């Protein structure tokens, strides 16, 4: 009984994918990374990544973009930080502001489908990194001058019509 319980409690490792991080802008070739979560070294080497089949798109209720079929390229890499990532690139410029695709990942223990939508901002919309603003010399605050009470002037009496001249 102890052996059966010990074998039944083996840890189950599941592969997970993180959020996509886009490193390019509109009208540039796509460069993005997807972190691979909970993967062992052996699993990372056996990962097969590709755009999902037309059948998988249909089962997910999505339309498979025809332009993406040959353009999206996937590669499993080890990032300088040491984590495993899937790089997503295109050889040509992406001219559409957003891009959706269904990613299929297979490894020794299973298969995973995940939809990604990428929003590509024009280069002019990308955040500009600049130096922090220079400090401004502090100046003492002056209190505003108090308002002075000035009574409203009484309206003057309307002009009286000139008396009519009596005939002489």
């Amino acid at each position: 009984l102890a052996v059966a319980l010990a074998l039944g409690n083996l840890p189950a490792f599941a592969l997970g994918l993180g959020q996509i991080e886009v490193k390019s802008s509109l009208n540039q070739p796509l460069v993005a990374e997807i972190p691979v979560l909970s993967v062992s070294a052996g699993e990372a080497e056996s990962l097969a990544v590709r755009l999902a089949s037309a059948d998988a798109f249909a089962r997910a209720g999505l339309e498979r973009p025809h332009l993406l079929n040959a353009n999206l390229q996937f590669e499993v890499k080890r990032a300088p930080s040491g984590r495993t990532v899937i790089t997503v690139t295109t050889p040509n410029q992406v001219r559409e502001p957003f891009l959706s695709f269904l990613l299929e990942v297979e490894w020794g223990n299973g298969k995973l489908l995940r939809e990604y939508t990428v929003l590509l901002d024009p280069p002019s919309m990308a955040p500009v990194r600049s130096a922090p603003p220079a400090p401004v010399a502090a100046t003492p605050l002056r209190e505003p001058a108090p308002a002075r009470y000035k009574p409203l002037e009484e309206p003057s009496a309307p002009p009286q019509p000139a008396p009519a001249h009596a005939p002489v």
Side-chain angles (χ1 to χ4, degrees), residues 17-22 24 30-35 49-54 56-58 60-75 86-90 94 96 98-105 112-120:
L17 300 177
Q19 297 294 319
I20 192 164
E21 182 183 337
V22 180
S24 58
L30 176 67
V31 177
E33 285 185 353
I34 301 169
V49 182
R50 63 184 155 275
L51 188 64
S53 67
F57 270 86
L62 300 171
E63 185 177 326
R64 185 175 184 183
H66 299 287
L67 297 176
L68 291 181
N69 293 346
N71 288 336
L72 283 179
Q73 300 170 350
F74 305 100
E75 185 179 357
I86 298 170
T87 59
V88 184
T89 58
T90 59
V94 178
E96 295 296 321
F98 74 93
L99 161 69
S100 290
F101 60 92
L102 190 60
L103 185 67
E104 180 177 302
V105 181
L112 173 72
L113 290 172
R114 173 124 186 230
E115 180 185 4
Y116 284 97
T117 300
V118 175
L119 177 63
L120 297 167

Side-chain angles (χ1 to χ4, degrees), residues 105-165:
V105 181
E106 285 189 66
W107 70 103
N109 296 332
K111 179 178 175 179
L112 173 72
L113 290 172
R114 173 124 186 230
E115 180 185 4
Y116 284 97
T117 300
V118 175
L119 177 63
L120 297 167
D121 289 327
S124 61
M125 297 294 292
V128 176
R129 293 185 179 150
S130 61
V136 177
T139 56
L141 295 176
R142 287 190 228 158
E143 300 229 357
R148 298 185 190 259
Y149 174 74
K150 181 177 178 185
L152 291 175
E153 293 181 11
E154 299 260 338
S156 58
Q160 300 291 327
H165 295 296

Side-chain angles (χ1 to χ4, degrees), residues 11-17 36-40 43 107 109-110 112:
F13 295 105
L15 180 83
L17 300 177
V36 179
L37 310 172
S38 304
V39 65
S40 67
E43 286 178 328
W107 70 103
N109 296 332
L112 173 72

